[in-house]
Amino acid sequence: MEEFEDFTQSPKLREVRYDVRGPIAREAARLEREGHRITRLNIGNPAPFGFEAPDSIRMTMINNLATAQGYSDSQGIYSARIAVAQYYQSRGMTETDPDDIYLGNGVSELISMVLQAMLGPGDEVLIPAPDYPLWTGATTLAGGTAVHYICDEQNNWWPDPEEVESKVTDRTKALVIINPNNPTGAVYPREVLEGLVDVARRHNLILLSDEIYENITFDDAEMVNVCTLSDDVFTITFSGLSKTWRVAGFRSGWIYVSGPKHRAKNYLEGLTLLMNMRMCANVPAQHAIQAALGGHQSIEDLISPGGRLHEQRTVAHRLLSEIEGVDVHQADGALYLFPRLDPEIYPIEDDEAFVIELLRQQKILVSHGRAFNWIDDNHFRLVTLPGVEELEEAVAGIADFLQSYRDATVRA
Ligand SMILES: Cc1ncc(COP(=O)(O)O)c(C=O)c1O
């Protein structure tokens, strides 16, 4: 019998990482198979924490099932695109047309397609560190090079446009902004965003603005859509239904292209080619978009003082801050906290091993900082989606684990 070689993955994947769903999640699944109950604070998935989609969204999908059996236009159904166009019109982008909107199976698919259509070997994309790691992984998979600019923990985790500009080379094609930010919870002020737009303007970069958390901000934080800050910078804005409308499983998102589109004709033809090759986004979920964008926005009740999301992030922040050697910025938006463990007190050498140990001892699953392309081993991310009681229990577990870590360090 002839000996064949094993089936192996493409070398394209060699440098591609997506550790938020990597070895730690596998260890959690193993522990669950052994019968342990794991508190999952690792993925920003609202539904399992009792966040239900508004009824109007579900009813619209159900009512349209019969007419949603065929493929749609690859760019998306008209009623949804006009609803998204009006959404941006109401934010001041009065010239927006349904043809500027492209629908996809969540922002994730659109990130991949936008980058695949844009990048050649060695083309560079400026991406924040820490980042939502799909941006780095999808850039690498598309043949490009992710160049990280550092967000400043000492300054509310905001990026510094000068630092961003210092990373521009003649190979830089695009600048990614994630605002509100995953994993830090930062919401960037207008001046910072204007600085970033200026960098893109001066260096002829495409702005890629991931605004999936745009409607999840707290207290006085002001959300500014980057597209509203210029009409001379080609900008692709990403958003969708997963977070604000709590239907991550429906896989429904969009991009909005704005600025000097006449200079991007060839690029948009490439993007359309990729859209055509995948036929269309899930059609029933496209129908959900129009229902989502109209009427009362129930997210408002969740993010206001007294609302679940507001309370949970406040409680989680307070309890984490009380632990010795833990520094954590309060989140102004999104669904996460990204605490720092003082390296003098917690001399962690491998943050992934650290969170696996937390998982084994306390059955609490968080994500390590390096999974977000962060530069040291002293951060982790947790989601603030569980109810207050569950969060209190989880943070108490984290506190116990950190206490035992400190005790062991003192003994050593
Ligand atoms: C910053 C950011 N962008 C995009 C996504 C993916 O969104 P979608 O469910 O629309 O694919 C997430 C999901 O957590 C995210 O945090």
Side-chain angles (χ1 to χ4, degrees):
M1 181 79 176
E2 190 180 344
E3 274 287 318
F4 292 114
E5 280 184 20
D6 286 351
F7 304 112
T8 56
Q9 58 182 246
S10 158
K12 291 200 295 281
L13 296 181
R14 203 164 288 145
E15 303 298 328
V16 176
R17 312 209 63 78
Y18 195 63
D19 289 347
V20 276
R21 293 203 181 211
I24 308 165
R26 282 199 293 280
E27 178 65 5
R30 188 188 70 74
L31 289 167
E32 278 174 338
R33 281 196 302 276
E34 281 182 0
H36 296 285
R37 195 182 77 81
I38 306 294
T39 304
R40 291 181 167 272
L41 305 181
N42 66 324
I43 306 269
N45 189 15
F49 296 98
F51 289 94
E52 297 251 306
D55 272 350
S56 57
I57 295 185
R58 285 194 302 227
M59 288 318 294
T60 306
M61 245 171 112
I62 292 166
N63 280 324
N64 280 287
L65 267 185
T67 52
Q69 297 174 71
Y71 296 128
S72 73
D73 183 294
S74 71
Q75 199 171 336
I77 59 174
Y78 191 79
S79 58
R81 285 189 290 122
I82 194 140
V84 179
Q86 286 168 349
Y87 180 76
Y88 289 102
Q89 284 168 7
S90 71
R91 282 159 169 68
M93 305 301 286
T94 48
E95 304 289 301
T96 309
D97 188 277
D99 287 345
D100 301 330
I101 311 297
Y102 299 73
L103 307 186
N105 293 302
V107 166
S108 306
E109 183 196 42
L110 293 160
I111 290 174
S112 287
M113 284 195 294
V114 159
L115 293 170
Q116 289 288 352
M118 186 181 296
L119 300 176
D123 283 341
E124 294 174 7
V125 181
L126 290 168
I127 297 176
D131 71 346
Y132 173 61
L134 179 62
W135 279 104
T136 297
T139 296
T140 311
L141 186 58
T145 302
V147 176
H148 292 107
Y149 62 86
I150 304 297
C151 297
D152 185 358
E153 186 169 17
Q154 303 310 318
N155 191 23
N156 307 303
W157 285 114
W158 297 339
D160 170 5
E162 272 183 37
E163 139 84 5
V164 175
E165 189 157 31
S166 74
K167 299 273 164 79
V168 174
T169 73
D170 55 4
R171 296 307 308 269
T172 312
K173 284 203 94 165
L175 166 56
V176 175
I177 300 172
I178 304 173
N179 180 47
N181 190 270
N182 176 7
T184 64
V187 177
Y188 303 157
R190 185 178 290 270
E191 311 79 71
V192 168
L193 292 170
E194 281 169 349
L196 296 174
V197 172
D198 263 347
V199 173
R201 179 181 290 121
R202 279 198 291 276
H203 298 278
N204 193 32
L205 308 180
I206 300 176
L207 267 181
L208 303 175
S209 189
D210 182 341
E211 300 178 357
I212 185 87
Y213 300 101
E214 63 183 308
N215 298 297
I216 304 181
T217 56
F218 304 109
D219 301 330
D220 300 329
E222 185 201 9
M223 171 63 201
V224 178
N225 299 94
V226 162
C227 59
T228 61
L229 296 180
S230 80
D231 53 16
D232 60 342
V233 176
F234 182 59
T235 303
I236 306 181
T237 301
F238 298 72
S239 194
L241 299 189
S242 290
K243 314 291 178 175
T244 301
W245 292 276
R246 288 95 69 199
V247 288
F250 287 6
R251 314 307 301 125
S252 195
W254 59 79
I255 53 171
Y256 162 43
V257 297
S258 60
K261 286 169 284 181
H262 60 280
R263 293 189 48 228
K265 265 195 172 139
N266 180 264
Y267 170 68
L268 291 172
E269 276 165 23
L271 183 62
T272 301
L273 171 70
L274 295 187
M275 296 232 153
N276 289 340
M277 285 167 66
R278 64 76 158 110
M279 304 302 190
C280 62
N282 172 21
V283 180
Q286 293 186 46
H287 283 282
I289 292 176
Q290 189 180 17
L293 295 184
H296 172 67
Q297 295 297 315
S298 50
I299 191 73
E300 290 293 331
D301 309 332
L302 296 170
I303 61 172
S304 308
R308 254 194 85 177
L309 289 176
H310 188 281
E311 292 311 291
Q312 289 164 197
R313 114 331 168 174
T314 305
V315 167
H317 176 262
R318 179 171 50 74
L319 295 175
L320 282 164
S321 305
E322 284 167 10
I323 305 172
E324 188 182 338
V326 176
D327 269 328
V328 53
H329 275 278
Q330 180 53 291
D332 289 321
L335 306 170
Y336 314 95
L337 292 170
F338 196 57
R340 171 179 183 271
L341 303 170
D342 182 345
E344 299 281 316
I345 299 175
Y346 304 101
I348 301 162
E349 278 169 15
D350 176 344
D351 61 355
E352 186 170 39
F354 181 83
V355 301
I356 288 181
E357 206 40 48
L358 167 65
L359 170 65
R360 289 187 182 141
Q361 286 190 27
Q362 296 289 338
K363 311 297 176 291
I364 295 167
L365 178 58
V366 298
S367 307
H368 57 300
R370 283 199 190 272
F372 305 95
N373 294 295
W374 184 237
I375 51 175
D376 66 31
D377 286 277
N378 275 81
H379 290 74
F380 67 93
R381 185 195 76 171
L382 80 167
V383 306
T384 54
L385 283 167
V388 164
E389 248 176 59
E390 198 180 351
L391 271 176
E392 282 170 347
E393 240 175 74
V395 179
I398 293 171
D400 280 352
F401 176 73
L402 292 176
Q403 172 76 56
S404 63
Y405 191 93
R406 289 197 301 276
D407 293 347
T409 311
V410 170
R411 275 200 304 278

